[in-house]
Amino acid sequence: MKFNLFALSFLTASCCFMAVDAFTTTSTPSTLTGPFLTSQPGVHSTQLFHSPPPRNAPKHDTGMSMELDPEEIKIQATFAQHQQDAPKLGFAIDVRTLVQYNHGFAVISTNSKANEGYPNGSVVGFAPDEDGNPVFIFSGMSSHTQDILKDPRCSLTVASKQFKGAADGRVNMMGKVKLVPPEQREAVKAIYLKKHPGAFWVDFGDFNWFRMEIERINFVGGFARAGSVSPEEYKSVKPDAISEFGIHIASHMNEDHQDSTIAMIESQVPGINATEAIITSVDSLGMFVKVTRTPVGSEEKQQFKMRLPFPRKAENRKDVKDIIVEMTRSA
């Protein structure tokens, strides 16, 4: 029996939209080979790409395989199509949103002045300006300040506000960090204090304002969910407004209404039979949910992220609530 791996695998749906026609097999019984499978003891895990996938998307080959029950094949085919069709934020918007709603701290990596040839890493405060460029207030005594004054090339690694591990999003921006011109410093100060209202040191005499001129952006959102965004793409979009408070909605749903989330998943992809469904993010077009289930014909639990789309775009907090209530009732 010939079938397309994309249509048969949660894993392919997650990480190989670009290669939907490139991988087929004629084995019987149906077998899923390992290019898209990653696992932990007792748990298979995967994260979802956006559709279309980002440029320079990686492919992984773990050399693993697993047999699929015929009923499981049907479920995974339905899932794959559902995920391909599910509306998602554009990749650039996702990156811009992560940077905007981060807690305001990140790791800056500079070229060490004191130890030539070695990188110097520091945790620093930052705030994105209206174009998404990170702005900083640095003391002249800090080693990273001395590094930047000698060589402005550096990178900034920003993790999502809810970052807990490799499955969560992070962005690396590379560019040159330079002093902000005097006429722009009051505007930059206001941006920074909005993000860091307790930063009393901004008026200290030995502190100076800096801004990164972004030249390259890389994003990683977990296994097989990675790519690059050009600075032009990044600056041309705005952060998703719903994502600013989406985590509070997710927390409420996870604590009090997880059964509703499971019901919504089952109504959109019958047969998944999730035993756990944790919403990891909410945006204007839908939710990402970490699902735990046991595949038909298997005893091993499977864990993956899936997109649970809204029937229409949410415009505000009340709209999100109304949409979720509608989805729950229709489930």
Side-chain angles (χ1 to χ4, degrees), residues 189-220:
K189 177 181 175 181
I191 290 170
Y192 192 88
L193 286 175
K194 185 176 181 180
K195 190 75 172 180
H196 302 276
F200 57 87
W201 53 87
V202 298
D203 292 319
F204 287 4
D206 65 330
F207 279 72
N208 290 285
W209 292 104
F210 291 83
R211 183 189 343 245
M212 173 180 274
E213 298 175 358
I214 301 171
E215 298 177 1
R216 182 177 177 83
I217 302 171
N218 295 315
F219 175 74
V220 178

Short mmCIF file of all heavy atoms in Angstrom, two decimals, residues 189-220:
data_model
loop_
_atom_site.label_atom_id
_atom_site.label_comp_id
_atom_site.label_asym_id
_atom_site.label_seq_id
_atom_site.Cartn_x
_atom_site.Cartn_y
_atom_site.Cartn_z
N LYS A 189 14.65 56.60 26.19
CA LYS A 189 14.46 56.48 27.64
C LYS A 189 13.01 56.16 27.98
O LYS A 189 12.72 55.30 28.83
CB LYS A 189 14.89 57.78 28.32
CG LYS A 189 14.68 57.81 29.83
CD LYS A 189 15.13 59.14 30.40
CE LYS A 189 14.82 59.27 31.88
NZ LYS A 189 15.23 60.59 32.43
N ALA A 190 12.08 56.82 27.32
CA ALA A 190 10.66 56.57 27.58
C ALA A 190 10.28 55.14 27.20
O ALA A 190 9.50 54.48 27.91
CB ALA A 190 9.81 57.57 26.78
N ILE A 191 10.81 54.64 26.09
CA ILE A 191 10.54 53.26 25.66
C ILE A 191 11.07 52.28 26.69
O ILE A 191 10.39 51.32 27.08
CB ILE A 191 11.19 53.00 24.28
CG1 ILE A 191 10.46 53.78 23.19
CG2 ILE A 191 11.19 51.50 23.96
CD1 ILE A 191 11.17 53.77 21.85
N TYR A 192 12.29 52.52 27.17
CA TYR A 192 12.91 51.60 28.13
C TYR A 192 12.17 51.60 29.46
O TYR A 192 11.94 50.54 30.06
CB TYR A 192 14.38 51.99 28.33
CG TYR A 192 15.18 50.94 29.06
CD1 TYR A 192 15.80 49.90 28.38
CD2 TYR A 192 15.31 50.98 30.46
CE1 TYR A 192 16.53 48.93 29.05
CE2 TYR A 192 16.03 50.02 31.13
CZ TYR A 192 16.64 48.99 30.42
OH TYR A 192 17.35 48.02 31.09
N LEU A 193 11.78 52.78 29.94
CA LEU A 193 11.11 52.86 31.23
C LEU A 193 9.70 52.27 31.19
O LEU A 193 9.19 51.83 32.22
CB LEU A 193 11.05 54.32 31.69
CG LEU A 193 12.37 54.90 32.19
CD1 LEU A 193 12.23 56.38 32.52
CD2 LEU A 193 12.89 54.13 33.41
N LYS A 194 9.10 52.24 30.04
CA LYS A 194 7.80 51.58 29.93
C LYS A 194 7.94 50.08 30.17
O LYS A 194 7.07 49.45 30.79
CB LYS A 194 7.19 51.83 28.55
CG LYS A 194 5.78 51.29 28.39
CD LYS A 194 5.19 51.65 27.03
CE LYS A 194 3.77 51.11 26.90
NZ LYS A 194 3.17 51.44 25.58
N LYS A 195 9.06 49.52 29.73
CA LYS A 195 9.33 48.09 29.93
C LYS A 195 9.92 47.84 31.31
O LYS A 195 9.66 46.80 31.94
CB LYS A 195 10.30 47.60 28.84
CG LYS A 195 10.47 46.09 28.77
CD LYS A 195 9.27 45.44 28.12
CE LYS A 195 9.47 43.97 27.84
NZ LYS A 195 8.29 43.35 27.21
N HIS A 196 10.74 48.78 31.78
CA HIS A 196 11.44 48.64 33.07
C HIS A 196 11.18 49.88 33.92
O HIS A 196 12.05 50.74 34.09
CB HIS A 196 12.95 48.46 32.84
CG HIS A 196 13.32 47.30 31.98
ND1 HIS A 196 13.45 46.02 32.48
CD2 HIS A 196 13.57 47.21 30.65
CE1 HIS A 196 13.79 45.19 31.51
NE2 HIS A 196 13.86 45.89 30.38
N PRO A 197 9.97 50.00 34.48
CA PRO A 197 9.62 51.22 35.22
C PRO A 197 10.47 51.47 36.46
O PRO A 197 10.54 52.61 36.94
CB PRO A 197 8.15 50.98 35.60
CG PRO A 197 7.95 49.49 35.51
CD PRO A 197 8.86 49.03 34.42
N GLY A 198 11.12 50.46 36.97
CA GLY A 198 11.94 50.64 38.16
C GLY A 198 13.41 50.90 37.88
O GLY A 198 14.23 50.89 38.81
N ALA A 199 13.75 51.18 36.64
CA ALA A 199 15.16 51.36 36.26
C ALA A 199 15.64 52.77 36.62
O ALA A 199 15.83 53.64 35.75
CB ALA A 199 15.34 51.09 34.77
N PHE A 200 15.87 53.00 37.91
CA PHE A 200 16.26 54.33 38.39
C PHE A 200 17.64 54.75 37.91
O PHE A 200 18.00 55.93 37.90
CB PHE A 200 16.24 54.36 39.93
CG PHE A 200 17.11 53.30 40.58
CD1 PHE A 200 18.45 53.55 40.83
CD2 PHE A 200 16.59 52.06 40.92
CE1 PHE A 200 19.26 52.58 41.41
CE2 PHE A 200 17.38 51.09 41.50
CZ PHE A 200 18.73 51.35 41.75
N TRP A 201 18.44 53.78 37.47
CA TRP A 201 19.82 54.06 37.07
C TRP A 201 19.93 54.73 35.70
O TRP A 201 21.03 55.09 35.27
CB TRP A 201 20.63 52.76 37.06
CG TRP A 201 20.00 51.66 36.25
CD1 TRP A 201 20.14 51.43 34.92
CD2 TRP A 201 19.11 50.67 36.73
NE1 TRP A 201 19.39 50.35 34.52
CE2 TRP A 201 18.75 49.86 35.63
CE3 TRP A 201 18.57 50.36 38.00
CZ2 TRP A 201 17.86 48.77 35.75
CZ3 TRP A 201 17.70 49.29 38.12
CH2 TRP A 201 17.36 48.51 37.01
N VAL A 202 18.81 54.89 34.99
CA VAL A 202 18.89 55.46 33.65
C VAL A 202 19.43 56.89 33.66
O VAL A 202 19.90 57.38 32.62
CB VAL A 202 17.51 55.43 32.94
CG1 VAL A 202 17.04 53.99 32.77
CG2 VAL A 202 16.49 56.26 33.69
N ASP A 203 19.36 57.55 34.81
CA ASP A 203 19.85 58.94 34.89
C ASP A 203 21.24 59.03 35.49
O ASP A 203 21.74 60.15 35.70
CB ASP A 203 18.87 59.78 35.70
CG ASP A 203 17.53 59.97 35.00
OD1 ASP A 203 17.54 60.19 33.77
OD2 ASP A 203 16.48 59.88 35.66
N PHE A 204 21.87 57.90 35.80
CA PHE A 204 23.22 57.93 36.35
C PHE A 204 24.19 58.43 35.27
O PHE A 204 24.05 58.09 34.08
CB PHE A 204 23.65 56.55 36.82
CG PHE A 204 22.99 56.09 38.10
CD1 PHE A 204 22.00 56.85 38.71
CD2 PHE A 204 23.37 54.90 38.70
CE1 PHE A 204 21.39 56.42 39.87
CE2 PHE A 204 22.76 54.46 39.87
CZ PHE A 204 21.77 55.23 40.46
N GLY A 205 25.18 59.19 35.71
CA GLY A 205 26.10 59.82 34.77
C GLY A 205 26.97 58.89 33.97
O GLY A 205 27.39 59.23 32.86
N ASP A 206 27.25 57.70 34.50
CA ASP A 206 28.15 56.79 33.78
C ASP A 206 27.39 55.75 32.94
O ASP A 206 27.98 54.78 32.47
CB ASP A 206 29.10 56.08 34.75
CG ASP A 206 28.36 55.15 35.72
OD1 ASP A 206 27.19 55.45 36.03
OD2 ASP A 206 28.95 54.14 36.15
N PHE A 207 26.08 55.96 32.76
CA PHE A 207 25.27 55.06 31.93
C PHE A 207 24.98 55.76 30.59
O PHE A 207 24.73 56.96 30.54
CB PHE A 207 23.96 54.69 32.62
CG PHE A 207 24.12 53.59 33.63
CD1 PHE A 207 24.76 53.82 34.84
CD2 PHE A 207 23.62 52.31 33.37
CE1 PHE A 207 24.90 52.81 35.78
CE2 PHE A 207 23.76 51.29 34.31
CZ PHE A 207 24.40 51.54 35.50
N ASN A 208 24.99 54.96 29.54
CA ASN A 208 24.73 55.49 28.20
C ASN A 208 23.74 54.62 27.45
O ASN A 208 23.62 53.42 27.70
CB ASN A 208 26.04 55.56 27.40
CG ASN A 208 26.98 56.64 27.92
OD1 ASN A 208 26.77 57.82 27.70
ND2 ASN A 208 28.02 56.21 28.63
N TRP A 209 23.01 55.25 26.51
CA TRP A 209 22.00 54.55 25.72
C TRP A 209 22.61 53.95 24.46
O TRP A 209 23.38 54.61 23.76
CB TRP A 209 20.87 55.50 25.34
CG TRP A 209 20.06 55.94 26.51
CD1 TRP A 209 20.11 57.15 27.14
CD2 TRP A 209 19.09 55.17 27.20
NE1 TRP A 209 19.23 57.18 28.19
CE2 TRP A 209 18.59 55.97 28.26
CE3 TRP A 209 18.59 53.88 27.06
CZ2 TRP A 209 17.62 55.53 29.14
CZ3 TRP A 209 17.62 53.43 27.95
CH2 TRP A 209 17.14 54.25 28.96
N PHE A 210 22.23 52.70 24.19
CA PHE A 210 22.70 51.99 23.00
C PHE A 210 21.50 51.39 22.28
O PHE A 210 20.45 51.13 22.89
CB PHE A 210 23.66 50.86 23.37
CG PHE A 210 25.00 51.34 23.91
CD1 PHE A 210 25.14 51.68 25.25
CD2 PHE A 210 26.10 51.41 23.09
CE1 PHE A 210 26.36 52.10 25.75
CE2 PHE A 210 27.34 51.83 23.57
CZ PHE A 210 27.47 52.17 24.91
N ARG A 211 21.68 51.15 20.98
CA ARG A 211 20.63 50.50 20.20
C ARG A 211 21.30 49.51 19.23
O ARG A 211 22.34 49.80 18.65
CB ARG A 211 19.82 51.52 19.40
CG ARG A 211 18.67 50.86 18.63
CD ARG A 211 17.94 51.79 17.64
NE ARG A 211 18.14 53.19 17.82
CZ ARG A 211 17.20 54.08 18.16
NH1 ARG A 211 15.96 53.66 18.38
NH2 ARG A 211 17.46 55.35 18.26
N MET A 212 20.64 48.35 19.05
CA MET A 212 21.15 47.38 18.08
C MET A 212 20.57 47.66 16.71
O MET A 212 19.35 47.82 16.56
CB MET A 212 20.81 45.94 18.50
CG MET A 212 21.17 44.90 17.44
SD MET A 212 20.78 43.19 17.91
CE MET A 212 22.27 42.76 18.82
N GLU A 213 21.43 47.69 15.71
CA GLU A 213 21.02 47.73 14.32
C GLU A 213 21.01 46.29 13.81
O GLU A 213 22.06 45.70 13.58
CB GLU A 213 21.97 48.60 13.50
CG GLU A 213 22.00 50.06 13.95
CD GLU A 213 23.04 50.88 13.22
OE1 GLU A 213 23.78 50.30 12.38
OE2 GLU A 213 23.13 52.09 13.48
N ILE A 214 19.82 45.72 13.68
CA ILE A 214 19.69 44.29 13.39
C ILE A 214 20.10 43.98 11.95
O ILE A 214 19.68 44.66 11.01
CB ILE A 214 18.23 43.83 13.62
CG1 ILE A 214 17.81 44.10 15.07
CG2 ILE A 214 18.08 42.35 13.29
CD1 ILE A 214 16.34 43.87 15.33
N GLU A 215 20.92 42.93 11.81
CA GLU A 215 21.37 42.50 10.49
C GLU A 215 20.90 41.09 10.15
O GLU A 215 20.80 40.74 8.97
CB GLU A 215 22.90 42.56 10.42
CG GLU A 215 23.45 43.97 10.59
CD GLU A 215 24.97 44.00 10.59
OE1 GLU A 215 25.59 42.92 10.43
OE2 GLU A 215 25.53 45.10 10.76
N ARG A 216 20.63 40.28 11.16
CA ARG A 216 20.20 38.91 10.92
C ARG A 216 19.35 38.44 12.10
O ARG A 216 19.65 38.78 13.26
CB ARG A 216 21.40 37.97 10.73
CG ARG A 216 21.01 36.52 10.41
CD ARG A 216 22.25 35.66 10.16
NE ARG A 216 21.88 34.27 9.93
CZ ARG A 216 21.49 33.77 8.77
NH1 ARG A 216 21.43 34.57 7.71
NH2 ARG A 216 21.19 32.50 8.64
N ILE A 217 18.32 37.63 11.81
CA ILE A 217 17.44 37.11 12.85
C ILE A 217 17.22 35.62 12.63
O ILE A 217 16.82 35.20 11.54
CB ILE A 217 16.07 37.82 12.84
CG1 ILE A 217 16.24 39.33 13.01
CG2 ILE A 217 15.17 37.26 13.94
CD1 ILE A 217 14.96 40.11 12.79
N ASN A 218 17.48 34.82 13.65
CA ASN A 218 17.21 33.39 13.64
C ASN A 218 16.22 33.06 14.74
O ASN A 218 16.26 33.66 15.82
CB ASN A 218 18.50 32.58 13.84
CG ASN A 218 19.48 32.76 12.70
OD1 ASN A 218 19.10 32.72 11.54
ND2 ASN A 218 20.74 33.00 13.04
N PHE A 219 15.35 32.11 14.46
CA PHE A 219 14.31 31.73 15.41
C PHE A 219 14.29 30.23 15.60
O PHE A 219 14.42 29.47 14.63
CB PHE A 219 12.95 32.20 14.91
CG PHE A 219 11.79 31.76 15.77
CD1 PHE A 219 11.55 32.36 16.98
CD2 PHE A 219 10.93 30.76 15.35
CE1 PHE A 219 10.47 31.97 17.77
CE2 PHE A 219 9.85 30.36 16.13
CZ PHE A 219 9.62 30.97 17.35
N VAL A 220 14.15 29.80 16.84
CA VAL A 220 13.99 28.38 17.15
C VAL A 220 12.79 28.24 18.07
O VAL A 220 12.70 28.90 19.10
CB VAL A 220 15.23 27.78 17.83
CG1 VAL A 220 15.00 26.31 18.19
CG2 VAL A 220 16.46 27.91 16.94
#
